[in-house]
Structures are given as C-alpha cells and as structure tokens.
C-alpha cells in the first residue's frame, strides 16, 4: 500500500467546493453565500436565510412569501409520531429523543426515497419545520407539560419559543430567537455536517443524512458544549468565583466549554453577536448575573490562554441567552440541531450535484500473514 499521510481529525482537509458559507478563521469572519453574518442578523430573518442556503441566492419578495407559507404549512407532525413520543422514556436526553423522532418522521414522509431536486427541497422544508415542532414537543414532554400547538401566524423563531415556553413572545425575545436561529444555521463542515455528507455520499436519503448530523452534534466537543458551558457558569455562581474556577480547570487540564475552535483562531463572530443580545436581554429581564459571570470567565481565559488562539465560540454566551429566553438547558443542543438542519440539508443538496462516495483510508500498522492457531493452542 503506497505511503499516505495521516490527517488525524481531517484537520484542514478540503472535501468539497461550496458557496454556502465561508469561515475566515484568521479574521474571525463568517459569510453565508457571500453575505456577512452581521448583515443577515441585522436585516434578514431565519426564513430568508433558509431560502438563501437552499437556493444559494436571496429570494424575491413573492418567493419569500411563498417559501414562508410552505414552512408554516409543514409545522404539524403526524399523530403517530406524537403517540410514539408519548411512549418514550421521559428522562431520556432530548438529543436521543430527537434522533428517535426524526427517524419516525422519515417513515411518514411520502417522498422519503424520491431523490429529485424538487423533492429534496420539499423534504428540507418539512425537516426545518417539523424538527422545530418536534424539539418544542420534546421540551414539554421531558417536563411533563402539555404540548403547545404550532401557530399558523407566528414567525418560525417566535413560534418555536412560544411552543417551548407556552408564553406570549415579546418583540425582543422574538428577535433574539431569530438571531439565534440565523447564527446556528450553517457553518461549513463541522463534524456534524461531515457526518451528514458521508451518509449522503452513499446516495442514502436526506432524513438519514440529517440523522447522522444530529448524532454527531450531540457530543460535548461540538453541539453539546452549549449545555455544558451554561452548567459551568451556573456552577461558578458568582463573578468573584470565576477566576479560581477557571484556573483550577486549566490546571486539571480540563476543557473550558464554549472556548476554542478548530477553525476560528480568533474571536468567533457569532459569540460577539450573542454577547450583544445577552447584554440587551439582561437589561430588559433585570438579570445581569449570567452576563457578569460569563464576562469574568472570558477575561480569565483570555489572560490564561494568551497566544494559544483560544477564544469564546458560539456556545459560550448562547446558553445564557437561551436561559433568559426561558429555554431549558437540556434543549440547547436540540435547538442547535433544529437550526442547523437547513445547513446540513443545503450541503447535502450541493454535494449531490457532483456526488462522490466518501471513502477515506486507514494506515494499517498491524502484522500480516499470521498462522491461525486452534483455540487450544492460544
Ligand atoms: C462548535 O467546527 C465547527 O464549526 C463547530 C461549530 C459549528 O457551528 O458547527 O462552530 C460549533 O462545535 C463550537 C465548539 C464547541 N466546543 C467546545 O466549546 C468544547 C471545548 N472546546 C474544545 O474541546 C476545542 O477547542 C475544540 C474541540 C472545539 C477544538 O479543539 P481542537 O481544534 O481539536 O484543538 P486541540 O484539542 O488540538 O487543542 C489545542 C490546544 C490543546 O492544548 P495542548 O494539549 O496543545 O497544550 O488548545 C487547548 C488544548 O488543550 N484547548 C483548550 C480548549 N480548547 C483547546 N484548553 C482549555 N479549554 C478549551 N476549551
């Protein structure tokens, strides 16, 4: 076998061309189809970003209206899936319930194994809307609360938050939720997108690819970090205790959740945006504790990790924002999956236009041509 170089973790290995997003790790910039994330957060909506990612261009006014109607139409999930959810262990981790739920949704999609482009766009729309409803139902189910039915009028973000909290959603909360959806929508090829792409490259179906993405996102090194970062902030409990906590963690060689990134060797622009909205929410809700603790942790990490390219990532401030919005911490990663369904789907549809089975190698380092000993002689 010819000598091949080992790329552990596939660091910096390019596996596809894309126009969907550009992550500038050195400058800490993020673009979706060429538009700076800051522009989209300020001027766009999650619905429009979904169109942008699936069609790789911004919609005309009527196209957006029609796309939005389609998303709203697909919010309901089949009764059979709800009945099945009601039989699942209430104390299961919501990411495990979400995997089970999406696997069931696949069974009730009549176009599951139809692989034309238009059918894949329709399936993407169904997955975007139904995964949001499923995650909201799961958030109620694990707390023993009644389900809140999807609204026919509210925006995607406001509807999700309403279905999770059961409350009326004020303008600022709706805006912050929409920003959170936009910030989580797409990010080139993290482990979860690569998992989705690998499944898709065998010409399996879109639901299977999304399921692979959800499975990969669960891990604390990836999507699971938002829940762990908030647990850390709550464990610290007050700004005064942040310094010692971080120093002890680093001394014990622990990973401080919400910091560091394989690509960003600078401040994650999404963390910067989240901190801005956390400040606004903290002001309005009259609760600055989470913000003050987070700021202290950031200050100590910046000093202690100076020169190592370790900065806050999307998961550091997001959990504090979600908490002030009334989202339980067990739902942080399922929310991340819900928002990222469009990014996974967009990469899969783009890859299928020039598909190639993904099949890397492993470098063999074991013995060869061994004689097989009988079990008595081992
Ligand atoms: C997401 O890829 C994406 O785009 C993902 C994401 C997306 O939108 O999809 O951006 C979302 O997953 C963000 C990342 C969330 N994960 C965390 O916050 C978990 C904590 N972070 C780390 O585990 C780590 O930073 C990773 C996994 C995110 C990236 O690490 P790498 O690139 O594998 O770097 P590494 O493990 O080789 O670490 C390099 C050095 C090590 O020190 P040394 O062994 O060389 O002395 O930096 C240290 C690490 O110990 N380090 C940290 C650290 N992250 C790296 N030390 C303390 N705390 C941390 N968080």
């Amino acid at each position: 076998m010819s000598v091949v170089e080992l790329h552990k973790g596939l660091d910096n290995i390019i596996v596809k061309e894309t126009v969907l997003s550009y992550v500038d790790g050195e400058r800490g910039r993020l673009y979706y189809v060429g538009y700076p994330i800051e522009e989209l957060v300020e001027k766009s909506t999650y619905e429009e970003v979904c169109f942008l990612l699936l069609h790789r261009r911004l919609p005309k006014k009527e196209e957006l209206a029609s796309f939005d109607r389609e998303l709203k139409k697909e919010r309901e999930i089949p009764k059979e899936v709800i009945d099945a959810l009601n039989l699942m262990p209430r104390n299961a981790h919501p990411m495990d319930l979400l995997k089970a739920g999406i696997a069931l949704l696949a069974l009730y999609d009549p176009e599951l194994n139809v692989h034309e482009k238009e059918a894949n766009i329709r399936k993407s729309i169904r997955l975007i809307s139904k995964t949001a409803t499923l995650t909201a139902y799961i958030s109620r189910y694990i707390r023993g609360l009644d389900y809140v039915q999807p609204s026919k009028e509210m925006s995607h973000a406001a509807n999700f938050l309403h279905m999770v909290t059961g409350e009326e959603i004020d303008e600022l909360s709706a805006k912050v939720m929409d920003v959170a959806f936009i910030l989580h929508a797409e990010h080139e090829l993290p482990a979860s997108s690569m998992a989705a792409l690998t499944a898709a490259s065998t010409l399996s179906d879109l639901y299977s690819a999304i399921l692979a993405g959800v499975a990969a996102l669960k891990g604390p090194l990836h999507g699971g970090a938002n829940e762990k970062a908030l647990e850390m902030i709550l464990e610290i409990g007050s700004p005064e205790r942040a310094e010692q906590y971080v120093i002890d963690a680093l001394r014990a060689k622990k990973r401080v959740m919400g910091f560091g990134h394989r690509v960003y060797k600078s401040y994650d622009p999404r963390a910067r945006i989240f901190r801005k909205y956390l400040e606004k929410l903290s002001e309005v809700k009259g609760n600055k504790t989470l913000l003050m603790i987070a700021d202290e942790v950031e200050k100590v990490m910046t000093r202690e990790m100076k020169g190592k390219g370790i900065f806050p990532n999307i998961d550091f401030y997001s959990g504090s924002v979600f908490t002030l919005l009334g989202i339980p911490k067990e739902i942080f990663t399922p929310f991340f999956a819900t928002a990222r369904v469009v990014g996974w789907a967009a990469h899969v549809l783009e890859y299928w236009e020039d598909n190639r089975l993904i099949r890397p190698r492993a470098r063999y380092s074991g013995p060869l041509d061994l004689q097989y000993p009988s079990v008595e002689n081992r």
Side-chain angles (χ1 to χ4, degrees):
M1 181 165 69
S2 64
V3 178
V4 286
E5 201 183 332
L6 181 71
H7 294 278
K8 200 161 167 49
L10 297 183
D11 288 22
N12 298 317
I13 294 294
I14 306 286
V15 295
K16 76 179 284 227
E17 300 279 346
T18 188
V19 298
L20 295 172
S21 62
Y22 175 54
V23 180
D24 183 336
E26 293 312 314
R27 292 193 307 138
R29 299 299 308 273
L30 172 60
Y31 305 82
Y32 291 170
V33 197
Y35 298 96
I37 192 70
E38 295 81 5
E39 286 272 287
L40 294 170
V41 155
E42 192 192 324
K43 299 172 183 165
S44 187
T45 62
Y46 182 67
E47 289 85 337
E48 186 173 69
V49 164
C50 286
F51 186 102
L52 173 65
L53 292 169
L54 291 176
H55 296 282
R56 299 167 221 158
R57 65 174 174 82
L58 284 173
K60 293 181 174 54
K61 196 170 167 66
E62 184 33 46
E63 287 176 316
L64 180 57
S66 159
F67 187 76
D68 184 46
R69 282 193 299 274
E70 283 308 301
L71 281 169
K72 284 187 169 82
K73 224 168 63 186
E74 294 291 0
R75 285 178 176 170
E76 300 283 343
I77 61 178
K79 181 181 174 313
E80 296 84 349
V81 177
I82 301 170
D83 292 348
L85 174 61
N86 292 338
L87 294 172
M88 292 179 196
R90 210 179 280 276
N91 63 349
H93 192 285
M95 282 300 276
D96 300 321
L97 295 173
L98 184 60
K99 282 184 292 177
I102 292 174
L104 287 165
L105 283 174
L107 301 175
Y108 297 95
D109 189 317
E111 297 187 300
L112 173 62
N113 293 307
V114 177
H115 297 300
E116 287 129 33
K117 184 172 184 318
E118 287 318 308
N120 287 327
I121 294 280
R122 286 191 294 272
K123 278 184 276 186
S124 302
I125 290 171
R126 284 196 280 276
L127 274 158
I128 291 164
S129 289
K130 292 180 185 338
T131 309
T133 296
L134 184 58
T135 295
Y137 281 171
I138 288 169
S139 81
R140 306 291 289 186
Y141 181 67
I142 62 170
R143 292 177 286 171
L145 301 172
D146 291 340
Y147 296 141
V148 176
Q149 294 313 307
S151 152
K152 295 192 176 3
E153 293 79 38
M154 287 183 184
S155 71
H156 185 87
N159 174 61
F160 174 78
L161 190 55
H162 170 63
M163 290 182 72
V164 169
T165 62
E167 285 155 24
E168 290 310 306
I169 305 304
D170 63 74
E171 206 175 310
L172 175 64
S173 300
K175 173 64 181 173
V176 176
M177 195 75 251
D178 190 58
V179 165
F181 267 99
I182 292 172
L183 292 178
H184 284 87
E186 157 58 12
H187 208 245
E188 195 213 72
L189 282 190
S192 55
S193 307
M194 188 59 199
L197 224 43
T198 304
S201 78
T202 70
L203 299 187
S204 181
D205 66 277
L206 184 61
Y207 279 81
S208 297
I210 298 300
L211 217 42
V214 177
L217 189 75
K218 174 182 173 185
L221 291 188
H222 188 9
N226 50 23
E227 182 179 344
K228 299 290 176 214
L230 181 83
E231 283 170 0
M232 171 185 72
I233 288 171
L234 295 174
E235 191 183 337
I236 292 172
S238 71
E240 298 71 28
R241 295 183 53 225
E243 167 111 21
Q244 199 50 54
Y245 183 98
V246 171
I247 288 170
D248 292 349
L250 294 175
R251 222 173 257 149
K253 283 280 179 206
K254 282 189 195 148
R255 294 296 172 97
V256 176
M257 292 288 126
F259 282 83
H261 199 277
R262 178 62 59 78
V263 180
Y264 288 123
K265 297 310 170 196
S266 53
Y267 212 103
D268 184 334
R270 302 168 297 176
R272 205 182 296 285
I273 294 168
F274 256 128
R275 189 194 174 288
K276 188 180 99 181
Y277 282 96
L278 174 58
E279 201 163 24
K280 280 188 183 170
L281 264 183
S282 302
E283 196 68 43
V284 165
K285 305 272 180 183
N287 172 353
K288 291 192 174 183
T289 309
L290 296 174
L291 173 66
M292 287 161 64
I293 298 170
D295 280 348
E296 270 309 300
V297 170
E298 181 183 343
K299 204 165 80 185
V300 180
M301 278 295 281
T302 304
R303 186 190 70 216
E304 295 297 315
M305 304 302 272
K306 200 162 185 56
K308 287 188 89 170
I310 309 281
F311 295 87
N313 61 50
I314 187 169
D315 292 318
F316 183 56
Y317 286 106
S318 61
S320 301
V321 169
F322 298 151
T323 301
L324 293 181
L325 289 175
I327 298 172
K329 69 178 170 66
E330 297 77 10
I331 298 301
F332 291 177
T333 310
F335 159 75
F336 190 158
T338 298
R340 184 60 61 89
V341 159
V342 66
W344 293 328
H347 272 291
V348 165
L349 269 54
E350 186 181 52
Y351 192 73
W352 274 340
E353 288 174 3
D354 182 18
N355 189 66
R356 181 160 178 74
L357 175 68
I358 292 174
R359 201 283 186 216
R361 296 299 305 276
R363 183 161 62 197
Y364 181 69
S365 56
L368 289 172
D369 298 325
L370 297 176
Q371 295 299 315
Y372 181 84
S374 67
V375 69
E376 292 74 24
N377 295 334
R378 287 176 199 164

